[in-house]
Amino acid sequence: MPDKNLVTWACMISGYTQNEMPGDACLIFREMVSEGFIPNHYAIGSVLRACQVIGSCGSRLGLQIHGFISKTRYAFDVVVCNVLISMYGSCLNSAACAWRVFDGIQIKNSISWNSIISIYAQRGDAISSFELFSSMQQEGLASSFKPSEYTFGSLITAAAASVDCGLFLLEQLLAKIQKSGFLQDLYVASAFVSGFARFGLLDTAKMIFGHMGVRNVVSMNGLMAGLVKQKWGEEATKVFMEMKDLVSINSDSYVVLLSAFAEFSCLEEGRRKGKEVHACVIRTGSSESKIAVGNGLINMYAKCGKINDACSVFRLMVNKDLVSWNSIISGLDHNECFGDALMSFCTMRSTGLMPSNFTLISALSSCGSLGWMRMGGQLHCEALKVGLDMDVSVSNALLAQYAETGCITESKKVFSLMPEYDQVSWNSIIGAFSNSETSISEAVGHFIEMMRSGWSLNKVTFINILAAVSSLSRLELVHQIHALVLKYSVMEDCAIENALLCCYGKCGEMNNCGTIFSRMSDRRDDVSWNSMISGYIHNELLPKAMDLVWLMLQNGQRLDCFTFATVLSACASVATLERGMEVHASGIRACLQSDVVVGSALVDMYSKCGRIDYALRFFGLMPVRNVYSWNSMISGYARHGHGDKALELFSKMKLEGQPPDHVTFVGILSACSHVGLVDQGFDHFESMSKVYGLNPRMEHFSCMVDLFGRAGELDKIEDFINRMPMRPNGFIWRTVLGACSRANGRKTNLGRRAAEMLLELEPQNATNYVLMANMYASGGMWEDVAKSRAAMREAAVKKEAGCSWVTMKDSVHVFVAGDKSHPDNDAIYEKLGELHKKMRDAGYIPQVKFALYDLELENKEELLSYHSEKLAIAFVLTRKSELPIRIMKNLRVCGDCHSAFKYISQIVGRQILLRDSNRFHHFRDGMCSCKDYW
């Protein structure tokens, strides 16, 4: 054209924009301005729409055009301003800029109002949207324009996004729109279907959907999306099957349909349907041409547990966008492929794509699950570089990641730097503190601060704070939180009830546990039963725990591996072999004997109940062993005095590729201690740091002190303690004092030093006073013994009474020294007198040095005669049986009783198994398995 005018240029720009060629429209506009033409409002409006289509990349030109027209008469033109409002809302996501343009329009029309309402509706700001609608109605009275279907569509979108008052607003809108006649409009009705479906009012959504004169794919997709959100995947699929031949299916339909399969009640059925749809989109070519469908397939396979299929879809996608990467990274994290998720994140970054908040959240979740602190720090730096560290969701993920990797200080720092918090932020920081032993009280502080800040408490909040209070064992706090649970009406939630069961159990309030448990009725799950059983065990009510196990079996409740492991652990703690074997039988019936957790607990139970042969047999039959299995067997050998076998098993453990941990070395050092392998024990202690990279802990130093003490090498103890990298705790000084009390008056100075440290560290521990008195008594220093007992009386502490018990078929029988309360008292003492006579005839001489009192010889002998373990064995011998005798004692057996048991085993011709606080003694034919070294 030789001559072009404003209309020519405007038509070309508009043509390019309408034909989805926004880049060309912008180029023509630049040419027009460079040739000296002042564009009219049609040209400006068209080029601004082109900038809007381009998106964030077109925002720069859009800002330049706004600056250009601000100097012209079109600055306040209603047509131009309407497009500017839309551009600012979509390109820059800036409601503030859009509002300034809107506010500058002198005479607004319905498009102006619809545009600004749409901006706030898309942001989910229902309050601002409806305030603008109210102003629009007031102004419309004078201007004669009324709300259109676009107005109502935006308002419905805003209401659907509001959690607090959305449903109320939707119902109000429905009443108004029914009067105005817009409910028959396809756009408005589709928005209502989607909105009501989102809130779970599916009957209302279906009613509106059923009354629609014309339905399109948008209304169908909206109904399906609402059904999926309510986890009604089968219903959403049914809607698709009914409508697929009545509307034109688009890529969004397939995306929503694929998301429905992950919500099927039977995931296997969902996977099968998903594969059918996958085959369909391959035939139609949708999976290749539409990235959204490929992304939907990745999500579907990942959520249905087929992560390999999800990876295959991802690899075959020709074009990938950020959503594709987010989907595969999230899917890998969801399916516990944490390493692959982080590798995918690194690959995505190498392609030049910038991570979004969703990418970082999934990557941080994988990092926390793996415990990779260094990688977590790098991801934090990544968030800082792309400016996402201030995003509340990313900050929440950082909080969780640092908490999972034990970096509680970093969690505090992230929380303190967050510009704003949401409910998840408060729950995350409370959860982080509740999992840290040193910061549990801070969890309570943040919980109080959360309430003071006006935040509503939810299920997660209560579970986290109850976990913290449970560790504190503060009954008053538990009562207060229980009251809040009732106030917020979440008591009917099973997870909350389970958390309360755990709390009350640890606080010793089993009556409250029973009340909550009885009210749970059909809501009880495995955790509920396990919490009750654990509570009984924690409060030393083993019979009630066992009764509950039998009740579970009678009710047809399947016992899981954790239930078995908990009960077996309790049986081991009090050495009730018969009950332990009953639980083992139940485990076999439940087909759980091959589970590695149950297997390890069985090995531990049998070894602690004196059947090291059963423990070894079961250990050999285990199909899979972990470090706990090996540790249980090694510790079992150590406890029974089989040091050589423990060391042999340790060598086998290393040959089979199982690396030892700190617990392994506690067992190894204990094994060396019980058989006097001083040099080997020291070599193993040294190898912890030099060979295995394990820094010795306080318990390992304590084992070494015990090793030297049992061997009588008290000089080495003093030197070893002086070279310790940490300050010895009460347990180590108690071990030293115990070694000195067995040294017959040697190294009294070291013993005095240990006693002084113990009285400083633990003045209320009665054991310390007893050991101190024993040390002085063993050296015949009776004045010092009297002083020790006087100090004990002054401190108002009571020593633990020595007791022994035996388990018979009728019940458990407990005895204390000089006990005369047993119903069979006469028979017991008669049998004890008979045993004493036979023992003396066999050569037994009472070892009066173990009667640590300044008494006459005859009185000392009498005192020794009635120790609790002697009463226990006399009681067992009043019953007719040929089975091995099993006796448990809560304290270390004294030397005289040890000597007596060797004689008794020979006299009665039966094996005697004595478990004291330190180890097992197997007496047979006048000999003990410890070879008098214990």
Side-chain angles (χ1 to χ4, degrees), residues 705-706 709 714 717 721 729-744 746-759 765-776 778 788:
V705 170
D706 187 57
L714 302 185
I717 288 182
I721 287 177
N729 64 3
F731 191 78
I732 287 183
W733 286 119
R734 203 158 26 254
T735 306
V736 173
L737 189 56
C740 292
S741 69
R742 295 192 296 273
N744 297 323
R746 289 190 303 116
K747 278 287 180 182
T748 309
N749 289 336
L750 177 61
R752 287 183 189 277
R753 179 187 170 195
E756 288 171 5
M757 296 304 299
L758 282 169
L759 294 180
N765 190 330
T767 306
N768 301 333
Y769 296 93
V770 174
L771 286 172
M772 191 163 52
N774 289 351
M775 178 186 69
Y776 293 131
S778 66
S788 300

Side-chain angles (χ1 to χ4, degrees), residues 576-862:
T576 55
L577 178 64
E578 291 78 8
R579 286 295 180 99
M581 293 178 78
E582 290 172 4
V583 177
H584 187 179
S586 300
I588 292 171
R589 288 195 294 273
C591 302
L592 283 172
Q593 73 273 20
S594 59
D595 181 89
V596 69
V597 176
V598 175
S600 302
L602 280 166
V603 171
D604 185 58
M605 184 273 293
Y606 278 124
S607 69
K608 286 180 178 176
C609 289
R611 294 309 304 254
I612 193 68
D613 52 338
Y614 283 9
L616 179 61
R617 188 188 306 170
F618 196 82
F619 179 80
L621 292 172
M622 288 180 72
V624 179
R625 301 185 189 111
N626 60 14
V627 69
Y628 304 108
S629 319
W630 290 97
N631 289 349
S632 296
M633 197 63 225
I634 289 169
S635 298
Y637 273 140
R639 200 175 289 112
H640 286 264
H642 302 310
D644 294 334
K645 290 181 179 180
L647 295 175
E648 185 182 328
L649 191 65
F650 179 55
S651 300
K652 188 178 178 183
M653 173 186 181
K654 292 184 288 184
L655 285 173
E656 293 195 12
Q658 177 63 61
D661 63 5
H662 286 90
V663 180
T664 316
F665 279 99
V666 171
I668 290 299
L669 295 175
S670 297
C672 293
S673 177
H674 285 304
V675 291
L677 299 173
V678 178
D679 293 335
Q680 279 185 267
F682 189 75
D683 289 341
H684 284 297
F685 178 79
E686 291 282 294
S687 73
M688 283 185 68
S689 54
K690 292 179 180 177
V691 179
Y692 301 102
L694 299 169
N695 292 324
R697 296 175 179 171
M698 193 67 78
E699 55 265 33
H700 302 104
F701 286 101
S702 178
C703 286
M704 288 304 297
V705 170
D706 187 57
L707 174 62
F708 293 135
R710 287 179 191 277
E713 299 188 15
L714 302 185
D715 292 330
K716 286 187 177 180
I717 288 182
E718 195 160 11
D719 182 57
F720 184 78
I721 287 177
N722 292 335
R723 290 189 292 109
M724 277 179 62
M726 60 191 79
R727 190 183 178 194
N729 64 3
F731 191 78
I732 287 183
W733 286 119
R734 203 158 26 254
T735 306
V736 173
L737 189 56
C740 292
S741 69
R742 295 192 296 273
N744 297 323
R746 289 190 303 116
K747 278 287 180 182
T748 309
N749 289 336
L750 177 61
R752 287 183 189 277
R753 179 187 170 195
E756 288 171 5
M757 296 304 299
L758 282 169
L759 294 180
E760 180 186 326
L761 291 169
E762 301 173 352
Q764 295 301 309
N765 190 330
T767 306
N768 301 333
Y769 296 93
V770 174
L771 286 172
M772 191 163 52
N774 289 351
M775 178 186 69
Y776 293 131
S778 66
M781 293 178 275
W782 301 110
E783 289 184 10
D784 290 319
V785 171
K787 289 178 183 177
S788 300
R789 288 176 179 154
M792 184 175 177
R793 285 193 296 273
E794 189 177 340
V797 294
K798 294 184 92 176
K799 72 180 282 287
E800 182 182 9
C803 68
S804 300
W805 65 95
V806 291
T807 304
M808 307 295 282
K809 285 185 178 179
D810 52 357
S811 63
V812 177
H813 299 261
V814 183
F815 300 89
V816 295
D819 193 354
K820 293 190 177 181
S821 61
H822 196 278
D824 298 337
N825 180 62
D826 294 339
I828 291 170
Y829 277 85
E830 184 181 342
K831 176 61 71 173
L832 197 56
E834 182 186 322
L835 282 173
H836 272 202
K837 184 176 184 305
K838 290 181 179 179
M839 284 161 56
R840 284 184 179 275
D841 292 342
Y844 163 73
I845 299 173
Q847 299 185 34
V848 293
K849 66 179 180 179
F850 293 105
L852 301 177
Y853 292 89
D854 187 12
L855 301 171
E856 295 297 326
L857 182 63
E858 294 80 5
N859 292 334
K860 286 190 175 185
E861 288 185 13
E862 185 181 358

Side-chain angles (χ1 to χ4, degrees), residues 150 168 287 433 436-437 445 451 488 492 497 510 542 589 626-627 771 816 835 853 861 875 909-910 913:
Y150 303 108
F168 171 76
S287 62
F433 284 132
S436 170
E437 291 183 7
M451 287 193 293
Y488 278 84
E492 301 299 308
E497 289 170 315
M510 289 310 297
L542 182 62
R589 288 195 294 273
N626 60 14
V627 69
L771 286 172
V816 295
L835 282 173
Y853 292 89
E861 288 185 13
F875 165 71
R910 288 169 68 180
L913 197 68

Side-chain angles (χ1 to χ4, degrees), residues 96-115:
C97 292
W99 170 258
R100 279 197 291 271
V101 174
F102 174 79
D103 197 40
I105 303 174
Q106 294 177 352
I107 302 174
K108 304 173 180 70
N109 59 18
S110 58
I111 297 172
S112 313
W113 287 101
N114 287 342
S115 298

Side-chain angles (χ1 to χ4, degrees), residues 257-278:
L257 179 63
L258 287 166
S259 68
F261 300 137
E263 304 301 340
F264 270 44
S265 54
C266 174
L267 269 186
E268 188 59 44
E269 176 69 11
R271 281 195 289 267
R272 188 178 67 78
K273 293 280 187 185
K275 286 187 175 182
E276 291 175 5
V277 173
H278 191 176

